[in-house]
């Protein structure tokens, strides 16, 4: 998730301008709760989420995978390219209908993540990207993930890093978030639910995004948010840079390689005993 701006996509700074090129119409409404593909103005946030699916998809090859909280469905569909089976669960009925219509190779179910509609030990991998921060009962959800996983199954989770996402705050900036986590809190949540071998990484801007940061006052994120809050037109240079972001512009680094407290998003992989 990204910083919330009223009437913006799932964590995406909103605001429109003639400077932003036309894009295919969105099937799902942009509400501030989820990101969607194929919109230039949303592209930074979409790529920031998509990159984690791409980098971790190798763990899903030939396996039975559950995506708990699938959103628009693009990630579940990406995983379905190589997984044996992909089941997607979401709480929002309109989202479930959209995923069912757009991504036929994904089995999608409408359910509360606190009570996953799957048998015990029925999945090899549970994917939960940019969702845990939305949930009211995070420990219960993680216990449910452990329940549906087979022994030695993987829980793969990503979430905004509270330290950089809502700096200096005890409550999230984004009103769709109930509780944001730092790296230690995320690890504790997983360990308390019985997971082991928790490996945590951080998502960072790569070289080209750091150049964009410099061009836009030090932060391309803040530049987008500032225009959205002011309901101001986007300068052509900002619009062009946002539309040009790719997944290659992000670095996913282990905690041993860089201070994870400086990361944008946290990514954890944990093993069910």
């Amino acid at each position: 998730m990204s910083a919330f701006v009223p009437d913006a996509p799932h964590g995406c700074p909103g605001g429109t301008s003639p400077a932003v090129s036309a894009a295919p119409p969105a099937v799902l409404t942009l509400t501030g709760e989820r990101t969607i593909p194929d919109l230039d103005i949303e592209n930074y946030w979409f790529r920031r989420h998509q990159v984690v699916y791409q980098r971790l998809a190798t763990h899903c090859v030939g396996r039975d995978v559950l995506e708990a909280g699938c959103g628009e469905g693009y990630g579940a569909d990406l995983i379905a390219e190589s997984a044996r089976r992909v089941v997607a669960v979401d709480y929002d009925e309109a989202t479930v209908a959209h995923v069912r219509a757009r991504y036929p190779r994904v089995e999608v179910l409408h359910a509360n993540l606190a009570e996953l509609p799957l048998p015990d030990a029925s999945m090899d991998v549970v994917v939960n990207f940019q969702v845990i921060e939305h949930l009211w009962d995070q420990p219960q959800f993680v216990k449910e993930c452990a329940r549906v996983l087979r022994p030695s199954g993987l829980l793969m989770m990503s979430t905004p890093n509270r330290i950089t996402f809502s700096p200096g705050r005890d409550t999230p900036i984004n009103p769709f978030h109930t509780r944001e986590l730092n790296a230690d809190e995320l690890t504790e949540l997983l360990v308390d639910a019985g997971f082991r071998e928790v490996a945590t990484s951080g998502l960072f801007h790569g070289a080209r995004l750091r150049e964009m940061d410099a061009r836009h006052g030090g932060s391309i994120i803040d530049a987008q948010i500032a225009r959205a809050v002011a309901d101001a037109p986007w300068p052509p240079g900002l619009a062009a840079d946002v539309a040009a972001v790719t997944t290659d512009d992000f670095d996913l680094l282990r905690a041993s390689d860089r201070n994870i407290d400086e990361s944008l998003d946290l990514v954890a992989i944990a093993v069910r005993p």
Side-chain angles (χ1 to χ4, degrees), residues 41-54:
I41 200 168
E42 170 72 353
N43 185 58
Y44 168 84
W45 300 102
F46 171 67
R47 300 302 179 188
R48 179 164 153 178
H49 296 172
Q50 184 188 34
V51 63
V52 179
Y53 287 98
Q54 290 182 343

Side-chain angles (χ1 to χ4, degrees), residues 56-81:
L56 272 59
T58 55
H59 295 287
C60 301
V61 175
R63 295 182 172 182
D64 296 330
V65 180
L66 165 67
E67 180 165 24
C70 63
E72 194 275 342
Y74 64 88
D77 188 62
L78 184 154
I79 292 169
E81 293 177 2

Side-chain angles (χ1 to χ4, degrees), residues 212-230:
M212 293 182 188
D213 284 332
R215 283 200 294 273
H216 300 291
S219 171
I220 194 172
I221 300 171
D222 291 347
Q224 293 175 80
I225 293 173
R227 269 67 183 189
V229 169

Side-chain angles (χ1 to χ4, degrees), residues 4 161-175 177 179-182 185:
F4 172 76
N161 178 9
R162 176 173 59 80
I163 295 172
T164 58
F165 197 77
S166 297
R169 293 174 58 97
D170 294 327
T171 57
I173 291 174
N174 189 325
H177 294 181
R179 179 195 176 207
E180 295 170 355
L181 305 164
N182 63 27
E185 291 163 343

Side-chain angles (χ1 to χ4, degrees), residues 16-264:
T16 58
S17 164
V20 180
S21 63
V27 177
L28 289 179
T29 302
L30 300 179
T31 65
E33 190 171 9
R34 64 178 61 82
T35 191
I36 67 172
D38 304 325
L39 292 176
D40 283 356
I41 200 168
E42 170 72 353
N43 185 58
Y44 168 84
W45 300 102
F46 171 67
R47 300 302 179 188
R48 179 164 153 178
H49 296 172
Q50 184 188 34
V51 63
V52 179
Y53 287 98
Q54 290 182 343
R55 305 281 173 91
L56 272 59
T58 55
H59 295 287
C60 301
V61 175
R63 295 182 172 182
D64 296 330
V65 180
L66 165 67
E67 180 165 24
C70 63
E72 194 275 342
Y74 64 88
D77 188 62
L78 184 154
I79 292 169
E81 293 177 2
S82 58
R84 178 169 53 195
R85 177 192 182 203
V86 177
V87 178
V89 174
D90 204 274
Y91 186 69
D92 182 72
E93 291 185 5
T95 297
V96 169
H98 167 81
V99 175
R100 186 171 289 128
R102 183 168 184 177
Y103 303 111
R105 60 185 173 182
V106 175
E107 302 172 39
V108 60
L109 304 173
H110 174 240
N112 190 324
L113 299 190
E115 298 179 0
L116 293 172
L118 293 167
D120 295 356
S122 58
M123 290 286 133
D124 299 310
V125 181
V126 174
V127 172
N128 181 247
F129 293 160
Q130 303 294 324
V131 172
I132 188 72
E133 65 276 4
H134 289 261
L135 303 183
W136 288 104
D137 194 342
Q138 295 174 348
Q140 169 61 22
F141 165 68
V142 178
K143 290 177 183 176
E144 277 290 277
C145 292
R147 179 185 66 78
V148 302
L149 280 169
R150 295 170 179 138
S152 300
L154 299 180
L155 171 58
M156 304 197 299
M157 184 176 290
S158 75
T159 189
N161 178 9
R162 176 173 59 80
I163 295 172
T164 58
F165 197 77
S166 297
R169 293 174 58 97
D170 294 327
T171 57
I173 291 174
N174 189 325
F176 292 107
H177 294 181
T178 62
R179 179 195 176 207
E180 295 170 355
L181 305 164
N182 63 27
D184 289 341
E185 291 163 343
L186 177 58
T187 299
E188 181 180 14
L189 180 68
L190 298 175
V191 170
D192 286 350
F195 286 91
R196 59 180 174 81
E197 298 178 32
V198 179
T200 309
S201 301
L203 191 72
F204 299 85
H205 281 180
R208 200 166 75 106
L209 267 169
R210 292 196 298 271
E211 292 174 0
M212 293 182 188
D213 284 332
R215 283 200 294 273
H216 300 291
S219 171
I220 194 172
I221 300 171
D222 291 347
Q224 293 175 80
I225 293 173
R227 269 67 183 189
V229 169
D231 194 22
W234 285 35
L238 176 61
D241 276 350
V242 168
V245 173
T246 74
T247 56
D248 291 336
D249 294 324
F250 295 91
D251 292 334
L252 184 60
L253 302 175
R254 293 174 297 182
S256 58
D257 295 329
R258 184 166 173 183
N259 183 0
I260 201 166
D261 288 343
E262 298 174 353
S263 66
L264 301 167

